[in-house]
Amino acid sequence: YIADGISRFIDYHGTRVEVRISDMVSGMDISTSGAASNIESMKTAFLNDADEEGFASFIDKFKDYIDDNGFTQQLGMEAEGYISDGLYPLPRNGNMEFREEILLIPGASKFFRPDQFGRLSIFRIIPPKNMPKMPNSNNFFNASKEMIMALCGMSAVEADTVIKARDLWFENGQDLSE
């Protein structure tokens, strides 16, 4: 099977089990030094009428979270802020190691939420240390609406149309061009 996200059923010792294979290389990479730029490039997909200052504040906090210095960005937050919020020993002051840790940064939950399966699929899985780096291309079959909007320059309505076409392909194999 290919990593296309289609539900398939297998017999597991007499029990019918639903299996979906997703591509690990899907979503925005937030594990590198360019992570803040990756998030900023998708700003319009995340804002959805939310305040721009809140997004700018989150970006500054994100930059402070991953940088290796104690200097605070204009709207950012360094160790003393995390201590006062009861989040010691944050910030990491290095590249992120788990995509879920982004939710530890104040303001993140205004823009990023888990999908219907409880995963932060907008972000790429960060492989463990010493594992080979994953390629940079995203798999269409596992791309989120926000990823489609940002990478294809689509509006929310256009992205919904693409998602609907993909869902029909999942359900009954309908040609995407239709």
Side-chain angles (χ1 to χ4, degrees), residues 55-145:
F55 192 78
S57 176
F58 167 74
I59 291 294
D60 279 359
K61 288 179 178 79
F62 182 81
K63 288 176 182 177
D64 283 338
Y65 186 86
I66 62 173
D67 70 19
D68 61 358
N69 64 52
F71 301 112
T72 306
Q73 299 280 329
Q74 182 178 0
L75 301 171
M77 185 170 156
E78 283 290 352
E80 61 279 351
Y82 286 96
I83 291 169
S84 69
D85 284 356
L87 293 171
Y88 176 81
L90 300 178
R92 179 173 288 285
N93 291 327
N95 289 339
M96 298 186 80
E97 293 184 18
F98 309 96
R99 65 182 175 181
E100 294 80 7
E101 78 181 278
I102 197 167
L103 294 177
L104 296 171
I105 302 170
S109 61
K110 285 171 68 175
F111 306 103
F112 314 112
R113 291 184 181 76
D115 63 16
Q116 71 269 25
F117 302 110
R119 300 175 300 190
L120 284 174
S121 56
I122 185 67
F123 302 116
R124 184 171 299 171
I125 292 172
I126 300 172
K129 289 182 179 175
N130 301 322
M131 185 174 174
K133 183 168 173 45
M134 299 293 111
N136 288 329
S137 60
N138 283 292
N139 182 332
F140 166 74
F141 295 106
N142 293 299
S144 67
K145 176 181 173 180

Side-chain angles (χ1 to χ4, degrees), residues 149-160:
M149 288 171 62
L151 295 179
C152 300
M154 294 184 172
S155 69
V157 172
E158 292 169 325
D160 283 336

